[in-house]
Structure formats: C-alpha cells, structure tokens
Amino acid sequence: MEKNIFNKYMGLVISIIVLAVGFYTICTYLFPPVDDSGNALSRNNITMSLTVNPVLSIATSTNSLVINNLVPGTTRDSNTVTVTVASNIPDGYVLSAGVGSADPANLYYNTSDLIRNDIATEIPSISKFSSIDTSASLQTLTADNTWGYSTSADGGASWSTYSGLPHTVTKPLLDISDPAQPSTIDFKIAARSATAQASGTFGNVITFYVVGKPRPVYMQESEIIKAKLQNIGDELQAIDQRDGKKYWIRKMADGNIWMTQNLDLELSSTKTYTPADTDVSANWRPTRDTIEFTSTSLNSWDIDNATPYSANPGEIYYYTSGTTTNDSEYASLAACQAEHPDCSAHNHVGNYYNWSAAVASNNTNTTELTTMYNNAPDSICPAGWRLPTGRDRANTAASREGNALLAAEGIMTDNPGNSYATNGSNNIRVTPLWLARSGNINGGSIMSTGSFGSYWSSTVINNNYAYASLYFNSGSVYPTTNSSRNFGYSIRCLIK
C-alpha cells in the first residue's frame, strides 16, 4: 500500500509594486489658444495613473512525496514533485524549502526527523530517520535511518547530491533575478533504513517558501540611503553602479554615513566617469589604467604625482580578531573564512590610489589643487559621496573628519591627538569601523601591509603633498598626516 510520508505546505511573501503611468499635456498660459469666434480657451490637466498588482504564486505537481515499500537495509528515493513559481516582481524572488511543523501540538513540531506516526512520546532511533548533515549521493547515503533531498533544474536529466534539510533554517532552491518567465524545479527525497527496521509509516512536513527580492540600493542613490540610515548604527549593503561591486555602509557616531570597507574601483582609461555615477563636476577619463599584480613589486608605478594611478592587489583580506598587534593576510575570502568564519567583505583591501587618482584629476598642478588647505572639488567616490577632509587653516575639529570619526567612536583619547583610547588600536579594525591595515605603495612596492593603514583626504598641502585623513599602526594613530601625493593609499568615502 502506498503511504504519504510528506505533506506539502506553501508560504508566500508578496512585495507591492506600483507602476504609475502619467500623461502630461503642455498648456500655453501666457497666450492661450482661441476658438473660431476668437474667444480664449483654458485647459486643465488631469493626471492619469494605473496600478499593476504584484504576482507571486507557487504551485506543486503533487501534494505528497512517497517512498514505497522501503526494504530494511536498503536505500530508495521517492517520487518527484515539480515546484513552479510565477512572478512579475522586477527584482526577482527566492524559492526555499524547510522541514518541520510550526504547530507545537503537531508530532513533527521542531524536528527535521521523519517520525513513525504511532510514536507519541520518546522516539527511539529505530523509529525515526534523521536528516543528513553533509552532502551525499544516493549511493553513498549509507548511514542507517537517514534521509536527504535532491533537486533537478533540467527536468530530471541530472540531480544534485543529496543534502540535509534542518528544521532550524530554510534551504534556498532557486534564486531568480529575471522573473520574465515562470521557473520550475524538481524535488525528491531518499532514505536509508536499518537492517532491523521497525515497520510503519514515517512522516514530516516540507514547506516551500517564495519571497520577492527587495529592490537593491545603489551607492549613487545618496538621498535614498540617507532616508534608510537615519539612526546611528543603521547599516546596509549598496551596489556601485559603475562596476556592480557591493559595499557595506553605516551611519556612524559622528552623524555621517561612511563606507565600512575600502573602495575597490578599478580605473580604466577607456571608461568615462560622469557626474551621474562619480563625484566629478564634469566628465572625466583617467590617463592610466589600474595595474593588477601578484607580487609586491610595482616597478611601473608612475611616480609623477600629477598622473592618476591606482593598483589592484587582487582579492586580499586582512583579518584581525581585535586582539592581535598586526593583521593576518589572506589571498581570498574563502581562505580567510576557513580560519575565521567571521571574516567578511569588511576585511577586503580594495585598491590603492595616488592622490591624483583619488581626486579624479589628470592635472593636479593647477592653482586650485596646489593651494594649501584647499579641498579638491572632485573624487572617485560614487556620485553623492566624497573624500573626507583633512584639515583647514584654523585646524578646526570639524575639518578633520577622519579624526572626528575616531573621536566620536571612542577610538582616540583626545582631538586632535595621536593617542588611542583604551583598546582603540584593536577597535579601529573591527566593527563598526573595520579600518584595514592594508599598508601603502611607496616607490613601486607595497609596504607595511598588516601593520599600517593609510587613507586619503581631499585636502591640499602643495603640489607635492596632500593630507591623509588617517594613518595608523598598532601603537599610534595620526590624523591629518602630510603625505606624498604619489603614495598609493586606500580610500573610504562618506556621503555629502
């Protein structure tokens, strides 16, 4: 006799989309048209709109997954359920699956086990099948009393290895960014029994969830970002429209919204940066490309500080636990996370830039960019963002924005001193600042990696020097430091 061991439930989360279509008629107010009798006419415009309701639906080809006549000591898979999702949400959706009942009175509450349906109290191992905790093929699902699930995106021609489905989290099955057409995925389970297997029907509940994706936020949408990050400590991840890279940003204790990871924009002499995507007052195209390198030697680094230049060290991450003197270097996020699960995009080095590149100029020998205490009007920050200022002639606290940030976050003991507050040398590198000791480029080589952090400001000293907004190591922090313009430093931007 065929027995149903899985029931299908569906969860649905819908996001609202409003599409407004407006029609506007131009009216002549000073010289209105006249009719055939010479009488003046007046017109009144009526705005028209329509609303398109969101569609987010989920359907399954069957209401049960069944393994028929599982023989003790063997492995067998189930029938297949086809899950179909349709949506008109522009940014797509995610389909996930979870196991276990949400009803405390249900036998399957708070468990991923397949439980024999006549068990009401303590469940012996022979009377339940546990979800596997590692990926396995059907042939290698050899542990007794275990089960797993598999999916196929090509109509059953090929299947993924079997995976576990814990009750504590949902597993994503589909991640769709273009919902123009309905999507389908096939889903099945397999189970392995013990040789001395108790007879009976074993069951649980699988729930399929489909959730519409929220609209992404772009770095260039500074007004939207300010509306979202109104309170100190609010943060989100935004996308740079210039290259699609994502950055964590946060409203800090100084009241400003800052990037909390280093800029990673690769300059290209074939790309024009415009006021729509970059903090420039007019279209700008750099005269040099970003250099990518795998060693610490940059022999082709242009020491002419009037030529914009940047260097890409690759996917380098500097990690600190917050208690170590120097940071540890890793060649990829995966390598960093293998030793430190909390390693993240915050720890990425980004690119190094000389000051000409930082201020988006192919000629920094102009009067504007050589007069002491001037602030460069442009930068390679996203549109709506800018470089922090270094200082003004009066050396006011408000002009030392890097210094003010550290003071507000409790990193420094005074303002504008160069001493850390208690544990400040560790706190500067972890949440919420995540300032990396990525070193700098000097004379064609990367130096002081893991021990120094160097960040540009927009403030001029003369035609050879500009101010760094921050320069720090394990013992001291130096805001508003005089720096040679041809040095390669990191960049953190803040919203204007």
Side-chain angles (χ1 to χ4, degrees), residues 51-185:
T51 299
V52 178
N53 292 328
V55 174
L56 187 60
S57 65
I58 184 171
T60 55
S61 60
T62 179
N63 287 339
S64 59
L65 288 168
V66 178
I67 298 177
N68 283 318
N69 303 319
L70 181 58
V71 177
T74 66
T75 302
R76 182 170 294 182
D77 59 358
S78 71
N79 63 308
T80 297
V81 57
T82 300
V83 184
T84 303
V85 180
S87 174
N88 65 348
I89 295 177
D91 299 299
Y93 54 84
V94 175
L95 172 70
S96 302
V99 66
S101 172
D103 181 4
N106 193 290
L107 175 65
Y108 310 132
Y109 174 68
N110 202 33
T111 183
S112 59
D113 297 332
L114 308 187
I115 300 172
R116 209 173 81 204
N117 60 11
D118 59 350
I119 299 296
T121 57
E122 185 177 353
I123 304 171
S125 60
I126 201 171
S127 294
K128 66 180 179 180
F129 287 74
S130 299
S131 179
I132 59 175
D133 56 9
T134 58
S135 296
S137 68
L138 180 60
Q139 291 72 26
T140 58
L141 191 66
T142 54
D144 288 345
N145 300 100
T146 57
W147 74 277
Y149 79 92
S150 179
T151 60
S152 172
D154 54 12
S158 59
W159 290 86
S160 66
T161 57
Y162 278 82
S163 300
L165 198 62
H167 69 86
T168 54
V169 296
T170 59
K171 287 286 190 73
L173 306 179
L174 283 175
D175 189 332
I176 303 298
S177 297
D178 180 10
Q181 299 295 328
S183 299
T184 62
I185 191 168

